Amino acid sequence: MRILAVTGKRAESILKEALREWEREQKGKGERHECEVLTQNIGIAAFTTPRTLKRALERRFAANTHTYTRTYTHTHTKTRNAHANAHARSSQCELRKHLAGYDMILVSGLCKADFSELERELGIPIRLGPKNARDIGEVLKHASEIEFSASVPADIFLSEKRRENALKEVASFERAASASFSVKGVKIGGASRMKVCAEIVDATLLSEEEVQRRMQYFLESGADWIDIGVHVSAKEKDVERAVSAALKCDASVPISVDTLDPELLLAGVSAGADIVLSLNSENMHIVEKIADAGVSAAVVVPDFQALREEEEGERGREEKETREARILNSLFANLRSAAHAGIKNLIADPVLNALGYGFTASLKNYILFRERDKKTPLFFGVGNVTELLDADSIGVNALLAGIASELNASVLFTPEHSDKCVGCVSELRRAAEMMLLAKKRKTTPKDLGIDLLVLKEKRRRKPRILKTAAEEAGKAEDANVVVAKESRTWRPDPLGSFRIELCETPAGSRILATHSSLTKQAKQAEQTEQTKQTKEGKEGEKRKETKIVGRNAKEVLDTILRLGLVSSLEHAAYLGRELAKAEIALSLKKSYEQDEPLFKSLPH
């Protein structure tokens, strides 16, 4: 492909350097694109318009196209216009002829102008390039396989298109995948995607509305089935109530009940639960009743006595191997017992231990199980690790999902019990999709079109190098560079102050900015000595509040400006900083506290 990349004077050197770097990377890689730079007579590429672009093209390809303005100055107006129109058509033909060898014109991704009319006139696609000129190389890699957009910057469009294609591919794989069995249409095992099971912790203690609210949140986060967590003090009626609440929320979703208590398991199945979690020799005597009640599937675990023996004391290698064998043997025995009792669809859970409590040993149990049994679906309790690890969950979930994928596990289980694990369900759903794509494409989970990069970036742009004096000197060597200094003073805005918070609304989480100002009467009264004496304790009666709720910082700040609630540049700049922090906190599901840092830095 032959591409013409259009820029302004300021970004010309950046664009050319990025293209040189891209050309170096492309050497010896087969098909290559040819990309030329067209610099307009404007400073900022984002201000490109059809007029500035056409002028730049005329200067490059047909320098004599404007000669009619001299030649026909003294002729009759109609004649002059006719000649001008004829020359314009001739100029258009000339440009078309020169551009015939090009496949596309790329303008800055920050352009807001409409180039559709010029595109028709020139007969060549005019598309938005990346927002940052430094990203031109990454965009050009995909120029021949994806048609860029006339309205969406190429870097964003490319990312969205690759994500869309990746998700379509995942859906296609899932439709065609074989499965060990299905529960309410949800495929379990076989070649299907790993399913995410989200636990509503202590659901038996929650109201019906709270159970349904949590369930709806998990489903929106990507959960495939919902697990009803049973509190140790729960009674049969509590289990029945929680299961019924979940079924009222969405009866098409698989529901499991999570307890070892046999009577509570039976109560859950009788109320409509599809899956029991979990069975072992301690409750195996009730399995026939559970099977007769119509349970669809069961998760089977080893006998916990064997697990406790593994965790107790330090013994020799021979005894350790014996314990591992005992754990696995009990799991296989329990699977046989459950099958004999009439439960056809079984999921094995060797139990994933927390870090520091035999995590690697438990992984070995999964490996040994898979060596003996290639087909039975495996249950992988990711939450046992993430809930007991003080680290950001995104990367941990990605890694554990990758391990589970190599073990051919079928179910990724997690609660979102602690605040640090909020979002784990959506993270595991994305991780499961990534691992399915990687397995089908026979590649690593990299460059798939979908990822779990949130706080870190895949490709870091090179920072601009500024040669100036150290900040401690208080001045720069370059007269055009000013070393920034923080102001030590703060003047309150006469129009009032703002309290910035996050809030929950029926439509979801939002930013809340509450403006507080003295009423007109209070301002007048404040001038009197009497008001000054009685001011303490009556402040709330004299202040007027306006609450502004928005989805992002721009919405809220634009509304503040439109309502005229800020009068100083200093206050407006402060609001911009705090609202931006609130928006970031909202997107990351973090807490936000006004005037407090959003992140902590690791000590060096």
Side-chain angles (χ1 to χ4, degrees), residues 57-262:
L57 290 169
E58 287 171 341
R59 280 195 302 272
R60 183 182 183 106
F61 297 122
N64 63 339
T65 54
H66 288 297
T67 54
Y68 71 88
T69 56
R70 281 197 314 272
T71 307
Y72 302 105
T73 302
H74 299 294
T75 59
H76 189 275
T77 301
K78 288 185 178 180
T79 306
R80 185 167 68 248
N81 289 342
H83 282 304
N85 291 335
H87 197 87
R89 287 193 294 272
S90 175
S91 171
Q92 179 179 325
C93 290
E94 282 293 311
L95 284 178
R96 272 179 170 266
K97 184 173 71 175
H98 285 293
L99 289 169
Y102 293 87
D103 298 286
M104 178 170 50
I105 295 175
L106 281 180
V107 298
S108 167
L110 296 172
C111 285
K112 303 299 182 184
D114 180 3
F115 295 92
S116 56
E117 187 175 334
L118 181 61
E119 182 177 299
R120 286 191 295 271
E121 181 181 328
L122 300 178
I124 181 173
I126 301 176
R127 298 290 182 260
L128 294 186
K131 292 187 294 182
N132 192 308
R134 293 180 176 86
D135 295 332
I136 187 70
E138 187 60 29
V139 165
L140 291 176
K141 290 178 186 177
H142 306 278
S144 59
E145 62 191 59
I146 294 178
E147 183 181 351
F148 296 131
S149 170
S151 57
V152 180
D155 49 340
I156 296 176
F157 181 80
L158 179 61
S159 175
E160 291 176 350
K161 195 70 176 176
R162 294 183 69 199
R163 179 178 182 275
E164 178 186 327
N165 291 341
L167 292 176
K168 283 181 179 177
E169 197 174 345
V170 168
S172 176
F173 286 147
E174 183 66 11
R175 282 193 300 270
S178 61
S180 299
F181 59 87
S182 295
V183 178
K184 289 182 175 176
V186 175
K187 294 179 179 179
I188 306 294
S192 65
R193 170 181 58 78
M194 291 184 290
K195 301 306 183 292
V196 179
C197 174
E199 180 192 11
I200 302 176
V201 178
D202 293 338
T204 51
L205 296 179
L206 305 178
S207 67
E208 180 176 311
E209 292 76 16
E210 183 62 16
V211 168
Q212 292 175 348
R213 189 189 69 79
R214 292 293 294 166
M215 179 173 172
Q216 191 59 42
Y217 161 73
F218 283 141
L219 293 177
E220 290 171 358
S221 298
D224 297 288
W225 102 41
I226 300 298
D227 181 55
I228 299 299
V230 178
H231 190 263
V232 291
S233 65
K235 306 298 181 186
E236 292 175 38
K237 63 180 180 179
D238 299 322
V239 175
E240 292 168 356
R241 178 175 51 80
V243 171
S244 297
L247 290 170
K248 287 178 185 177
C249 178
D250 193 335
S252 68
V253 176
I255 304 295
S256 61
V257 59
D258 191 351
T259 178
L260 283 169
D261 187 301

Side-chain angles (χ1 to χ4, degrees), residues 1-3 22 31-35 140-144:
M1 291 187 73
R2 194 177 180 197
I3 298 167
W22 168 71
E31 181 185 354
R32 290 181 60 196
H33 305 311
E34 183 181 342
C35 186
L140 291 176
K141 290 178 186 177
H142 306 278
S144 59

Side-chain angles (χ1 to χ4, degrees), residues 429-449:
R429 175 58 183 261
R430 174 58 56 83
E433 293 167 345
M434 288 172 62
M435 300 313 156
L436 176 62
L437 272 181
K439 187 175 285 188
K440 292 295 183 180
R441 294 178 183 179
K442 298 180 180 179
T443 183
T444 59
K446 177 178 177 290
D447 295 330
L448 299 171

Side-chain angles (χ1 to χ4, degrees), residues 18 271 354 518 563:
L518 286 173
L563 296 177

